[in-house]
Amino acid sequence: MGIQKRLVGSYVTVITITVLILEIFLIISVRYYYLHNVERALWNQAELSASFFQQYFTGEDLEKQSDRLLKGFAHNSEAQVQIILPSGRLLQDSSGLPGNNNMAEYTDVQEAIIGQPSTWKGKVASTREDILAVSFPLQTNGITVGVVRFVTSLTETLNTINRIAAILIGVGLLVIAIVTVLGLLLSWTITRSIRDLKRAADRMTEGDFSIKVRKRYQDELGSLADTLNMMANRILKSEQLKNDFISSVSHELRTPLTSIKGWIITMKSNGADNKPLLLEGLEIIDSESDRLAHMVDELLDFSKMDNGRIVMHFGPVHLPELLDHIGRQLAPRATRQGISFEIEMDKNIPVIQADENRMKQVFINIIDNSLKFTAPFGRIVVQAHTPPGQIVITIEDTGSGIAEGDLEYVLEKFYKANQNASGSGLGLSISAQIIKLHYGELRITSEMGRGTTVSIYLPT
């Protein structure tokens, strides 16, 4: 069953039950109101008649005064009035019912004979007409000498009740019909957005991430549409980055392999008689092999991090010694490129728990990027200081910088701000993940033409 049918079905079911309960309550209330009013009116007339008899006819013979009493009792009442003897025999009837009928079979008459006012509701045996009767005792000096009984037909009252009930039922059905139409419209507005989302999701499962979901309303489904569109954009961007990465890595792998292959051929042809050429070829092969190994290591690190399988080996690390060692390692390269390379550290930097090899990998990767993008006569400064509760290491260069539009993506995997630069585009992403595994944070600020600053925050 579709969501629209379930929504409408649930909505109509709730409204139908609500209307049904309300209808039953209203019909019962109307029936009680009308019948109670009729009973109350007869009760008041019978009570007034009994009081009138007790006040003006006490001591009189009931049979002799029955005509006068009947006229007095029936004068201001449209109900059928009966005067009954204590034996139950009918003495007088305003509707012309012959006397001598035995009325003792009615419960209200029986109660009145023993001095208790009572009512009776039922059907006339001959006509099957619904009637209501109220009986009051006629007493002289506390002794019941007769009964006055008021009887009325309930046919018109019940017809009125039935007409009102029919109107209420009709209104209820109309309400249910209106609610059903409104439920269909409301569910349509909801399911239309859901259908849009489903169509877009189906297209995405087929690999089409260019699809855009229309945002129809500013609600949760609208927010979901925004999220789905954003996700599709990110996937498209990731796909593009992946394609660029494959293209870049293919190029990066082919270049050193081509160089190695070329020098091997050269060395085979001329190396035996030319020792300088042999040494130069071996040096280039060694350099290109290191380059290949570095790229393979990056790919392996990325694979491990992406699958959550990377293992950190924490131990005590003295950052000044680590940075000084890295400085001595990279200083010759900076000198060859004509770049000023400085390391400045506070004297009181504490020993931290870290994976020394991974931290070394991070620092070398960042400084290597600075060396790549800093022109001769530029400057690279590595600083380490200890604000309260943490250690901050900054690597600042005067290189070409990163465009503002690229800055928010440089830590993403495969991303390369400069597509012409060498490398896989994984170095900064891996570095950020390693710092995160050390419960720290890596931040990058940059300005085109003025340089880049990479800040590493580590807990003490």
Side-chain angles (χ1 to χ4, degrees):
M1 182 183 291
I3 190 171
Q4 183 175 15
K5 290 182 179 179
R6 292 203 305 272
L7 278 173
V8 175
S10 300
Y11 194 50
V12 171
T13 299
V14 170
I15 295 301
T16 301
I17 292 173
T18 303
V19 170
L20 181 62
I21 293 172
L22 186 61
E23 291 280 350
I24 292 173
F25 173 76
L26 288 175
I27 291 172
I28 291 175
S29 298
V30 168
R31 183 180 179 86
Y32 172 80
Y33 173 79
Y34 275 89
L35 294 179
H36 180 73
N37 281 349
V38 171
E39 182 179 343
R40 188 75 259 170
L42 290 182
W43 190 278
N44 289 338
Q45 291 175 2
E47 185 177 24
L48 183 63
S49 298
S51 177
F52 177 80
F53 173 82
Q54 190 171 6
Q55 185 173 0
Y56 296 104
F57 288 88
T58 300
E60 298 287 340
D61 188 288
L62 181 62
E63 291 191 40
K64 292 181 179 179
Q65 302 296 331
S66 60
D67 284 335
R68 292 177 58 196
L69 286 172
L70 183 63
K71 292 178 181 177
F73 294 161
H75 180 68
N76 294 317
S77 176
E78 296 180 359
Q80 177 185 356
V81 182
Q82 297 175 334
I83 299 176
I84 303 168
L85 292 174
S87 63
R89 182 171 65 87
L90 178 63
L91 187 61
Q92 292 286 345
D93 188 295
S94 62
S95 64
L97 189 69
N100 300 322
N101 283 348
N102 186 10
M103 307 298 293
E105 62 183 74
Y106 297 103
T107 57
D108 60 311
V109 176
Q110 296 172 8
E111 293 288 330
I113 288 172
I114 62 175
Q116 295 294 328
S118 183
T119 62
W120 178 82
K121 194 185 299 175
K123 293 181 180 292
V124 177
S126 58
T127 62
R128 306 303 298 169
E129 181 182 13
D130 290 289
I131 63 170
L132 176 67
V134 175
S135 298
F136 256 76
L138 300 176
Q139 294 181 332
T140 299
N141 298 322
I143 299 173
T144 300
V145 296
V147 174
V148 59
R149 189 174 190 239
F150 283 77
V151 182
T152 187
S153 172
L154 294 178
T155 301
E156 286 299 323
T157 303
L158 293 176
N159 288 339
T160 301
I161 292 172
N162 291 336
R163 284 194 296 270
I164 294 175
I167 293 172
L168 291 175
I169 292 171
V171 171
L173 293 175
L174 179 62
V175 168
I176 292 173
I178 293 173
V179 166
T180 302
V181 173
L182 291 177
L184 286 170
L185 292 174
L186 178 63
S187 64
W188 178 73
T189 61
I190 296 173
T191 55
R192 181 172 58 165
S193 298
I194 294 175
R195 282 195 295 269
D196 291 343
L197 291 169
K198 184 181 182 301
R199 280 194 294 267
D202 290 341
R203 293 276 295 276
M204 289 180 186
T205 58
E206 296 171 0
D208 182 8
F209 296 101
S210 61
I211 184 71
K212 299 297 179 186
V213 184
R214 181 180 176 184
K215 183 178 180 180
R216 297 183 182 274
Y217 306 103
Q218 296 290 339
D219 56 7
E220 289 81 357
L221 292 176
S223 298
L224 183 58
D226 288 338
T227 302
L228 204 60
N229 289 333
M230 188 183 302
M231 182 187 71
N233 288 334
R234 287 185 177 275
I235 292 175
L236 280 175
K237 192 170 186 64
S238 296
E239 286 290 316
Q240 183 62 42
L241 289 174
K242 183 191 71 174
N243 293 335
D244 292 343
F245 165 75
I246 293 172
S247 175
S248 174
V249 167
S250 299
H251 173 73
E252 293 292 335
L253 290 173
R254 187 181 297 112
T255 301
L257 286 172
T258 302
S259 178
I260 291 170
K261 182 69 174 177
W263 273 101
I264 289 174
I265 293 172
T266 301
M267 289 164 58
K268 279 183 176 181
S269 302
N270 304 310
D273 301 325
N274 191 340
K275 188 173 182 180
L277 180 66
L278 179 63
L279 293 175
E280 182 183 359
L282 290 174
E283 184 178 347
I284 291 174
I285 290 173
D286 181 59
S287 174
E288 294 299 318
S289 297
D290 288 341
R291 182 176 167 191
L292 281 173
H294 176 70
M295 292 183 65
V296 171
D297 286 341
E298 279 193 341
L299 291 173
L300 289 173
D301 284 343
F302 164 71
S303 177
K304 289 178 181 179
M305 287 184 178
D306 204 41
N307 294 309
R309 294 186 291 107
I310 191 166
V311 178
M312 308 297 291
H313 301 283
F314 287 90
V317 175
H318 191 217
L319 282 175
E321 292 181 3
L322 178 61
L323 291 173
D324 186 60
H325 173 74
I326 293 171
R328 289 196 305 272
Q329 180 180 341
L330 297 178
R333 178 181 170 186
T335 301
R336 286 196 307 269
Q337 294 181 212
I339 298 171
S340 172
F341 183 45
E342 304 171 16
I343 296 179
E344 302 172 358
M345 293 176 285
D346 290 349
K347 296 180 180 179
N348 58 344
I349 294 178
V351 174
I352 63 171
Q353 290 294 317
D355 187 321
E356 184 172 357
N357 289 328
R358 292 296 181 183
M359 293 302 298
K360 183 178 180 181
Q361 177 185 352
V362 170
F363 293 136
I364 289 177
N365 192 0
I366 296 171
I367 297 171
D368 179 70
N369 283 340
S370 295
L371 289 168
K372 284 180 185 177
F373 298 106
T374 301
F377 307 108
R379 183 169 180 255
I380 299 174
V381 179
V382 180
Q383 294 180 317
H385 58 283
T386 55
Q390 62 182 345
I391 298 173
V392 180
I393 303 101
T394 60
I395 297 96
E396 183 179 0
D397 64 53
T398 58
S400 58
I402 303 170
E404 185 178 352
D406 293 322
L407 199 57
E408 61 178 309
Y409 302 111
V410 292
L411 294 180
E412 292 186 2
K413 55 190 177 185
F414 311 135
Y415 191 83
K416 293 170 67 175
N418 185 350
Q419 295 298 325
N420 295 321
S422 62
S424 63
L426 290 172
L428 283 176
S429 176
I430 293 172
S431 298
Q433 289 297 320
I434 290 173
I435 296 301
K436 189 175 181 180
L437 291 172
H438 282 80
Y439 308 102
E441 183 181 6
L442 187 149
R443 301 176 190 170
I444 299 178
T445 58
S446 185
E447 187 176 346
M448 285 295 292
R450 304 196 63 175
T452 301
T453 300
V454 179
S455 300
I456 299 172
Y457 298 83
L458 294 171
T460 55

